[in-house]
Amino acid sequence: MPAVQTTHSSAQKAPFYKGSSWILGSLLEMEKDPAAFMERLLQSYDDVVRFRLATESVHLCIHPEAISHVLHDNHMNYDKQVFDYKMMGSRLLGKGLLTNDGPSWLKQRRLSQPAFSHKRINAYSSIMQRCTEDFLKEWQQKDGQELDMSVEMAALTLRIVGLTLFGKDLIHESAEIGHALSDANQMLTRRLFSGIPDFVRFMPLDFKLKKAANQLRNVVDEIIEERKGHEEDYDDLLSILMMARDENDRGMDPVQMRDEVLTLLLAGHETTANALTWALHLLSLHPEEQEHLSSECRTVCQGQVPDFQKTKELEAANRVVQETMRLYPPAWSIARRCKKDDEIMGYPIKSNSLVFLSQLVTHRHPDFWERPELFRPARFSADEIKSRHQYAFFPFGGGPRLCIGADFAMMEAVIILSSLMMEFRVEPLREKVDMELLITLRPKDGLPLRIQRRSV
Ligand code: HEM
């Protein structure tokens, strides 16, 4: 196995992980098994480690101080001109918020931000409650069955994001969207790790990706088309986007509009669905935590699905969601490009080099977490949070590009998880569940669990 070598030159470069290939560096390791590769880097126990992906020099920032430097303290020096975002943009999301950069990103972010204000999030909670109640009724009919939680959670979170942000009920489209999204996620990841430049067409992978992208765009076009002429009647993100006017009183370019809606639709449900799926996996292995959540929800909500205010009081549920995202961060890595020569924790970073941050690595690092392999929600008690570096835990990123939907996602996850635990128990069916590191972190081959209704 290639070793981490410490360079002792006067430049004091960060330790270098040599990789298995002289020509491709660590590209093949990353492609073959990204989880194992990340685990190997984690074991280097360094603050910053260097490696090479073909011609790209990469610095992985492991220490929270280094992460804070890139995302927050010196964020102006790091942009998104990286392979991942460029490919995601050119193949699927265009110039939506996630893949956009520079002044155009700032303009769009300012435009969308009001849809995520405290007041709006509060208003969304009643839609989340309604969708969760419907979902519980469906589960009552499925009592005792084995269900794939990945599919179940994706359908529920898709319905919620469709109704809250775009006033559209996507209950009947969830299977189609789920398949197309899964294909796009797989194809994009394979394309990314293949090291083949974006301009080189790569059949049939590209064909499948294009088909999935077109399916998703068709759904979005339908959402926008249905709203035309009724913009004023709604108080949601779609109306904000449709009523926006620039200094020349021009509306948003239709392509930009489609990119924004598609980005929010995908980013706004898949990550939360993964967080909930992993939470149910962990809870299925820890029945005592299930009982704890169930009794907390009964006491605080008296048998009702929680609303916005109540989610704040559901401390155990909040901790379980956070501890889940520590162990299984739905967005497991963030990439940036360094614009001008910089220094991170004493190590020089050359302009144009790539910088990686990995939630999966830092969230499981023994220097920042005691017994990191254990599921222990109490790590997120107020006292323990205070004693840690803020960037030891960064499931939603940080700085100006912090996830716009962080509060939305936390509230949604707590509402859903508490309600499910209040009424059902989940039992594991597989001994081992592997991670699949695509653009998001999913359970490999889904997550079947058996649901059992509690006796009231
Ligand atoms: C558990 C759920 C979620 C997780 C773990 C998550 C994670 C993240 C992370 C790590 C980023 C930063 C990426 C970077 O800096 O390169 C991000 C950005 C973003 N997320 Fe989320 N997200 C979640 C839920 C949501 C929801 C519910 C929405 C919308 C309803 C959303 C919309 C976005 C958007 C639009 C961006 C780009 C923001 C910008 O750059 O201005 N996410 N998310």
Side-chain angles (χ1 to χ4, degrees), residues 30 42 228 316 323 341 409:
M30 181 90 165
L42 189 152
K228 281 190 181 151
E323 176 68 342
D341 286 359

Side-chain angles (χ1 to χ4, degrees), residues 143-200:
D143 188 17
Q145 291 184 21
E146 295 174 12
L147 301 176
D148 183 347
M149 294 301 144
S150 301
V151 176
E152 297 288 310
M153 294 303 112
L156 176 54
T157 54
L158 178 69
R159 186 169 186 223
I160 287 175
V161 80
L163 280 167
T164 49
L165 300 186
F166 311 115
K168 168 88 178 165
D169 195 341
L170 293 165
I171 195 164
H172 300 300
E173 283 87 343
S174 75
E176 183 199 349
I177 295 178
H179 284 129
L181 180 58
S182 204
D183 281 353
N185 209 340
Q186 300 256 6
M187 298 307 121
L188 270 171
T189 311
R190 279 173 60 191
R191 203 56 169 85
L192 277 172
F193 292 166
S194 71
I196 297 169
D198 194 20
F199 62 83
V200 180

Side-chain angles (χ1 to χ4, degrees), residues 72-87:
H72 184 265
D73 313 343
N74 198 21
H75 68 88
M76 295 289 277
N77 196 36
Y78 294 88
D79 64 23
K80 284 199 168 186
Q81 296 306 309
V82 296
F83 195 49
D84 308 33
Y85 291 118
K86 279 191 191 167
M87 184 169 292

